[in-house]
Amino acid sequence: MNDIDRLAAVVDEAAQTASAIPQLSLRDDFDVEDAYRIQASSVARRVARGERIIGVKMGFTSRAKAEQMGVSDVIYGWLTDAMRVGAGDAVSLDAYVHARVEPELAVRMGDGLEGDVSAAEAWHAVEAVAPAVEIIDSRYENFRFSLVDVIADNSSSSGFVIGDWYDKPDDASDLRMSLSVDGDVVQTGSTRAVLGDPRLSVAKAAQMLARRGKRVEAGWIVLTGGATEAVALAPGARIENVVARLGSVAFHTTRHGR
Ligand code: OOG
Ligand code: MG
């Protein structure tokens, strides 16, 4: 087994068993391209187990998130069908190491998207938008990592909940959103926090995938990135993201579990 596949097995097993591991970069020296290779290899292990890739998530597209985690480069990770949590469903925290939630805008692609596209081209390929909550879970101890560590760990991809789909608005650049836990608002923001306009996040997804010989496929979901800081998930809680003009999406965590 080469080093890429060896490190992919480490992050994949940590995710599967919901156990924290030390940062890979403390022992192994690897760059961003290697980190994306580790990520791809770890997702290939999921696909080999029967999971299906259904989209991508963009990370660190807002300053709030970049400052919270101390990492400022935009990153991506893969979403599989097994990560999807139905709106209104209850999840056990036993599936996660130390999950957090973020309010996001999700888009569904009507057309594929490839290469150095503009924001307008990216938006043209989008078919629908929806309020979303991303459940991120770093497999690293204390939720601390370097840029290469988090990329190798599939950019903390772990779960996501998507509300009803709406026709895309012409302008999605300032949709207010608020994240609440048990009815108390804990974070407020706007899609403007996402690279100034979430269309740019979709364009960036196509650009970043193209650099690695890949494309955003028609039918895929793109999570455009947290508009606010992420919030730790507690047991027995109801989490909701309310997005202006798009309504809301919610889910629960079960009472039992870590
Ligand atoms: C990395 C993932 C960041 C976002 O929306 O910015 C992310 C992390 O913070 O663990 O999903
Ligand atoms: Mg996110």
Side-chain angles (χ1 to χ4, degrees), residues 9 24 33 40 56 59 75 78-79 123 132 145 155 161 202 211 248 254:
L24 299 181
E33 287 316 307
V56 287
I75 59 176
W78 300 97
L79 303 176
W123 204 241
F145 45 66
S155 298
V161 196
V202 181
R211 247 175 272 151
S248 70
T254 56

Side-chain angles (χ1 to χ4, degrees), residues 83-159:
M83 296 177 189
R84 188 161 187 169
V85 172
D89 283 2
V91 298
S92 165
L93 295 184
D94 285 341
Y96 310 105
V97 183
H98 36 210
R100 297 178 177 176
V101 282
E102 315 178 313
E104 303 211 8
L105 179 76
V107 307
R108 190 176 71 215
M109 304 305 298
D111 298 318
L113 202 57
E114 189 163 14
D116 214 5
V117 297
S118 67
E121 286 165 331
W123 204 241
H124 191 254
V126 167
E127 167 179 78
V129 300
V133 176
E134 184 178 13
I135 304 169
I136 53 168
D137 190 29
S138 176
R139 268 53 70 161
Y140 299 115
E141 289 162 355
N142 306 314
F143 223 116
R144 292 192 49 197
F145 45 66
S146 67
L147 174 66
V148 292
D149 286 321
V150 65
I151 293 169
D153 184 28
N154 198 19
S155 298
S156 306
S157 283
S158 172

Side-chain angles (χ1 to χ4, degrees), residues 53-65:
I53 290 172
I54 59 168
V56 287
K57 55 80 64 73
M58 302 301 286
F60 304 134
T61 50
S62 72
R63 192 176 304 152
K65 278 289 311 181

Side-chain angles (χ1 to χ4, degrees), residues 4 28-38 148-149 151:
I4 298 290
D28 287 87
D29 192 21
F30 58 99
D31 64 12
V32 166
E33 287 316 307
D34 282 339
Y36 277 113
R37 288 187 193 103
I38 296 166
V148 292
D149 286 321
I151 293 169

